[in-house]
Amino acid sequence: MSNLTSTIQDLASNPKHTRWIGPLIIAGEAALCALIIWNVPYTEIDWSTYMTQIHTFLNGERNYAKITGPTGPLVYPGLHVFLYSLLWRLTDAGENIFKAQVIFAGLYLVTLAIVIACYRRVGAPPWLLVPLALSKRLHSIFLLRLFNDAWVALAFWATIYFLQRRRWQDAAIAWSCGLTIKMTMLLTAPALAVILLQAQGIVGAIFSGVSILVIGYFVSAPFVATDYQAYFARAFDFGRQFLFKWTVNWRFVDEATFLSKGFAISLLIVHVSLLVVFIQLKWTKPAASNPPDFFKRYLGISNSTDRELISKRITPTFVMDTMTASMVIGLLCARSLHYQFFAYLGWTSPYILWRFGGSPSVVLLGWAVQEYAWLVFPGTNLSSALVVSSLTLQVACALIAPPVDHIRPPARDVSKAEVKRT
């Protein structure tokens, strides 16, 4: 009995077992996806609107102000249009829902495989992989709703994976692809910037930034050439007013407050403040012990030549900490979250709770409460309060999580040789 208990504990906690447990989970998920598609009715929300908009585009319309559908105008960047144009052709003009669901099942499995690979690179124990495969809401977003957020989630995790593998340019391309499908990826822009700056240096980071702009230019070119004002006003509408009745997060405040300009400004102030705190206390540590030194270094004021040493401190754990924290900060401070935004949160939360030092019971409890809150439809005061409370807890956990052990910011008076010895 003692040997059996020890074996079970080892299987659950020893990171080396994720090598074979991960593929087993993916295989089980493949079977589950097939069962869901076969037995659970598809729910129409945005797919028909996507297809109507794409039909208009394929008929030659390039003015964003004139591309609309049953539930409203086209409000996503250019790559969304090209991606769903391909899906339009693969699914018989959007009529073959079964084929679309099969494609999205493949998308779900590929994304999950990348997520598990990211978890493996930070030494996550096998038990932490379990909640990654249990979310009813995630299965719904991918398999039953066919939201474009599923593709952005793939881009988000592909960005993390490439950063962990030190493939900086590939990470920039993946991130740009996500941004040009839906602007939610902007929530991770601060994290990506500080990572690339410290990993590549100022020249390399500028090159990656240019590649992001180039991709954005090419996918938007047909629409910008026709009416650039309509394109940017629709695809990147920062002032977009969301309906109170569909919000998942701030439903517990009254509608007048929710729609007020003061509330939006307050959330923006909180967002910026949290980013400043994380930049100061967490994100610039590989390069400097404090933000002034960080900015001196990258504005060319400092003569430091230890770029290679700094780059080595951009470890898989640092990448995961920074990118996931940036995402949950953005989601916490968003005025309105809809159910599809769980695509960015469902696979992020277990990691953040675990990095804080959460035991299996704590992580699974936090995961279960959050899952419950996002499954309540329509949202209630209680469910929305739980959503905001859960996000607040995760931001706090990300902030006070133990530092990455091997990051040792060099003191200004320590030589390179001494830094190496530490």
Side-chain angles (χ1 to χ4, degrees):
M1 183 62 69
S2 176
N3 289 338
L4 177 61
T5 302
S6 298
T7 300
I8 293 174
Q9 289 177 341
D10 181 64
L11 288 174
S13 61
N14 193 331
K16 74 177 184 180
H17 296 304
T18 58
R19 180 180 296 275
W20 61 270
I21 291 178
L24 283 181
I25 289 176
I26 294 170
E29 278 285 70
L32 179 59
C33 288
L35 288 173
I36 291 173
I37 292 172
W38 188 259
N39 292 293
V40 181
Y42 159 77
T43 306
E44 171 55 48
I45 297 181
D46 282 342
W47 176 260
S48 63
T49 293
Y50 293 163
M51 293 298 104
T52 301
Q53 293 167 346
I54 295 307
H55 183 63
T56 303
F57 165 74
L58 293 176
N59 282 341
E61 183 60 69
R62 298 296 182 267
N63 189 329
Y64 254 54
K66 298 179 181 180
I67 302 178
T68 188
T71 61
L74 176 60
V75 292
Y76 305 116
L79 189 56
H80 162 89
V81 177
F82 295 118
L83 175 60
Y84 276 82
S85 294
L86 176 61
L87 292 173
W88 190 88
R89 292 185 171 91
L90 293 175
T91 60
D92 307 323
E95 296 296 324
N96 193 330
I97 298 299
F98 174 75
K99 187 180 290 186
Q101 288 182 287
V102 171
I103 293 170
F104 273 76
L107 172 63
Y108 175 87
L109 295 172
V110 169
T111 308
L112 178 60
I114 294 173
V115 172
I116 290 175
C118 292
Y119 271 63
R120 285 192 60 216
R121 292 190 70 81
V122 299
W127 67 262
L128 192 59
L129 304 184
V130 175
L132 303 181
L134 295 179
S135 175
K136 181 178 179 181
R137 177 55 69 191
L138 277 177
H139 286 97
S140 172
I141 290 168
F142 279 78
L143 306 180
L144 303 178
R145 307 295 192 270
L146 313 180
F147 286 126
N148 64 352
D149 300 83
W151 298 95
V152 184
L154 171 64
F156 171 62
W157 285 101
T159 301
I160 293 176
Y161 177 75
F162 287 133
L163 290 172
Q164 289 181 324
R165 297 291 303 271
R166 307 183 67 78
R167 293 165 59 177
W168 315 121
Q169 196 61 30
D170 291 339
I173 292 171
W175 188 86
S176 184
C177 288
L179 178 63
T180 49
I181 295 173
K182 190 170 184 177
M183 68 176 184
T184 307
M185 279 291 276
L186 279 175
L187 297 179
T188 59
L192 182 70
V194 296
I195 289 172
L196 292 180
L197 190 58
Q198 294 175 100
Q200 295 183 285
I202 187 69
V203 175
I206 290 174
F207 183 77
S208 293
V210 169
S211 68
I212 290 171
L213 294 176
V214 168
I215 292 172
Y217 169 77
F218 278 111
V219 299
S220 65
F223 314 106
V224 170
T226 301
D227 188 335
Y228 73 92
Q229 291 181 323
Y231 176 76
F232 287 108
R234 288 283 176 83
F236 298 96
D237 183 3
F238 293 98
R240 187 180 176 191
Q241 191 78 292
F242 292 97
L243 295 176
F244 177 72
K245 67 178 181 178
W246 297 122
T247 188
V248 177
N249 50 341
W250 294 107
R251 195 176 183 83
F252 61 90
V253 304
D254 62 89
E255 186 169 3
T257 299
F258 175 83
L259 295 174
S260 69
K261 187 175 182 180
F263 185 61
I265 293 174
S266 298
L267 288 174
L268 178 60
I269 292 172
V270 173
H271 192 175
V272 173
S273 300
L274 285 171
L275 289 175
V276 169
V277 169
F278 273 80
I279 288 171
Q280 180 175 357
L281 299 181
K282 291 279 188 178
W283 296 350
T284 58
K285 292 304 180 184
S289 55
N290 57 69
D293 284 349
F294 178 84
F295 290 112
K296 283 180 183 178
R297 182 186 301 277
Y298 291 106
L299 289 175
I301 300 173
S302 170
N303 293 321
S304 175
T305 57
D306 53 1
R307 188 181 69 81
E308 187 177 344
L309 286 173
I310 294 170
S311 181
K312 288 179 179 178
R313 296 189 181 99
I314 307 302
T315 63
T317 299
F318 178 81
V319 166
M320 192 91 149
D321 285 0
T322 308
M323 291 293 288
T324 55
S326 190
M327 179 60 80
V328 295
I329 290 169
L331 294 176
L332 171 63
C333 299
R335 177 157 59 163
S336 183
L337 297 178
H338 292 177
Y339 289 97
Q340 57 265 41
F341 281 79
F342 194 73
Y344 316 108
L345 187 60
W347 287 316
T348 297
S349 303
Y351 172 77
I352 291 177
L353 295 173
W354 170 73
R355 265 289 285 139
F356 166 68
S359 63
S361 57
V362 170
V363 173
L364 292 175
L365 176 61
W367 169 85
V369 169
Q370 177 174 264
E371 181 76 13
Y372 162 77
W374 283 82
L375 286 174
V376 175
F377 177 82
T380 64
N381 288 349
L382 174 60
S383 67
S384 63
L386 287 174
V387 167
V388 174
S389 298
S390 177
L391 285 167
T392 303
L393 173 64
Q394 290 172 53
V395 171
C397 287
L399 182 61
I400 62 179
V404 183
D405 331 317
H406 34 286
I407 291 180
R408 295 287 186 269
R412 283 176 293 180
D413 57 346
V414 179
S415 69
K416 185 184 294 189
E418 290 171 327
V419 170
K420 285 184 178 179
R421 287 198 295 271
T422 61

